[in-house]
Amino acid sequence: MIINWPEKFARKGHELFLSGLPIALHCHHYNMNLQKTLESSLGSDGTLLLYQAAEESSYAGFTSFLQHHPKINTTKSKLELASTSYQYCGLGIINFTQIEPEGGRIVSPHSHHVTGWLAKFGKRETPGCFFSRGWIAGALAVIYDKHIGYYRVDELQCKMTLARECVFEVVIA
Ligand SMILES: [Zn+2]
């Protein structure tokens, strides 16, 4: 099935919608400064806030998207949709080939957050893709018909620390 992405975006005045849900578009300056501010002021509570916000938004977005596309009804096609929408929204490239309902591993060779963080702040000492972790957790909960918070996604290695790629581990929380 081919999705006509430009058709899925709708503009009403200054508001932008993706498959019926209002969305916000921000450049890396906004997104990285938001992450830096949350992390430096609140520590792990701040990064958890990023994770949970991304999880909630991807859960709601994916639920809505699949309701509008009932023909996307196999796990494989839903995972492909997740990968495609991640890329189409400018978030990066993500590979869902090693994932099952019990969890697994997800690899991302390129991402908006990695490029943005390295450009603005340089190398990190610890993994920093909190948004991507939450986004994955929310999308997988929809794909495998679980409740939000069902999965916990950790990052085993991260390009922000100059690893070759970001590697995420998914387990049942
Ligand atoms: Zn990373």
Side-chain angles (χ1 to χ4, degrees), residues 66-138:
L66 290 175
Q67 284 170 349
H68 286 86
H69 295 86
K71 287 184 178 173
I72 300 177
N73 55 16
T74 67
T75 299
K76 185 173 183 288
S77 61
K78 290 175 185 177
L79 290 170
E80 285 175 4
L81 175 66
S83 181
T84 307
S85 65
Y86 193 81
Q87 186 170 357
Y88 197 83
C89 290
L91 294 171
I93 294 176
I94 203 159
N95 181 337
F96 284 100
T97 56
Q98 298 177 60
I99 195 78
E100 295 180 341
E102 297 77 30
R105 284 198 178 187
I106 290 165
V107 173
S108 172
H110 303 286
S111 84
H112 163 77
H113 285 80
V114 165
T115 303
W117 185 275
L118 292 176
K120 288 189 71 66
F121 304 121
K123 179 190 174 194
R124 285 175 61 100
E125 297 304 317
T126 55
C129 294
F130 309 107
F131 178 94
S132 299
R133 286 171 48 206
W135 192 96
I136 291 166

Side-chain angles (χ1 to χ4, degrees), residues 108 111 114 127-129 132 155 157-160 165-168:
S108 172
S111 84
V114 165
C129 294
S132 299
E155 192 172 18
Q157 61 182 60
C158 181
K159 282 187 83 173
M160 290 185 191
E165 53 197 7
C166 295
V167 179
F168 302 96

